[in-house]
Amino acid sequence: MDYDPSQLPEFIPDDLSPGELDRLTTALANEVAKLSRAVGTAHVDMKLKDGGYKKALAAAVVLNKDMGTPTIVKCIAEQEHTVLAAAGIFQQAEALYLMLKAELDGREAQYQAAKKLVDLKVQEIRSFRG
């Protein structure tokens, strides 16, 4: 049984044959590699969006610098349309990054569990062979 990445099991069954376990481990390793690339890309995108937010905020602070104390100016700047839009874009990028990171962490845990099952199966086979 080959595993389609979209159909990887949520929980690893403990009654897999050695061949099925090998295919599952390979599929999980491939999925971890794919997710690692996606997490890296999302992290870079999040950092770029954070930079855009900070630039928009800095520009709004400069435009409103004569409106009062620095605290008031920052509060006014944070309510500017461009700053709010940049903050929303940054928050979306951050949410995507966090979701991908969580999915990667889960797949890595599954991969480690599958590797441990492989080790146990190997030990079991060796003990039967004597």
Side-chain angles (χ1 to χ4, degrees):
M1 159 166 93
D2 287 333
Y3 289 96
D4 177 6
S6 65
Q7 298 193 355
L8 283 169
E10 187 174 346
F11 301 103
I12 298 173
D14 57 355
D15 60 344
L16 296 175
S17 71
E20 290 172 330
L21 195 52
D22 178 58
R23 286 188 289 280
L24 175 62
T25 305
T26 301
L28 286 169
N30 290 339
E31 187 69 7
V32 166
K34 184 180 90 174
L35 285 169
S36 293
R37 283 190 299 277
V39 166
T41 301
H43 188 256
V44 169
D45 186 53
M46 180 188 71
K47 291 294 185 180
L48 290 172
K49 302 288 170 56
D50 185 37
Y53 165 71
K54 288 177 181 176
K55 286 178 186 176
L57 181 60
V61 166
V62 169
L63 289 174
N64 294 297
K65 67 182 177 186
D66 297 328
M67 299 296 282
T69 66
T71 303
I72 300 294
V73 169
K74 187 173 180 198
C75 288
I76 293 170
E78 287 174 341
Q79 299 306 311
E80 291 280 329
H81 175 69
T82 56
V83 175
L84 291 173
I89 291 170
F90 167 67
Q91 288 170 349
Q92 288 175 347
E94 184 180 35
L96 176 63
Y97 168 72
L98 293 173
M99 286 174 34
L100 285 170
K101 182 78 171 101
E103 187 174 350
L104 174 61
D105 291 344
R107 288 296 184 199
E108 282 179 337
Q110 280 186 320
Y111 174 70
Q112 294 301 324
K115 278 181 38 178
K116 190 66 172 172
L117 279 174
V118 168
D119 290 342
L120 290 172
K121 292 276 186 185
V122 167
Q123 289 295 341
E124 184 180 308
I125 291 169
R126 284 184 182 157
S127 68
F128 282 128
R129 288 187 181 167

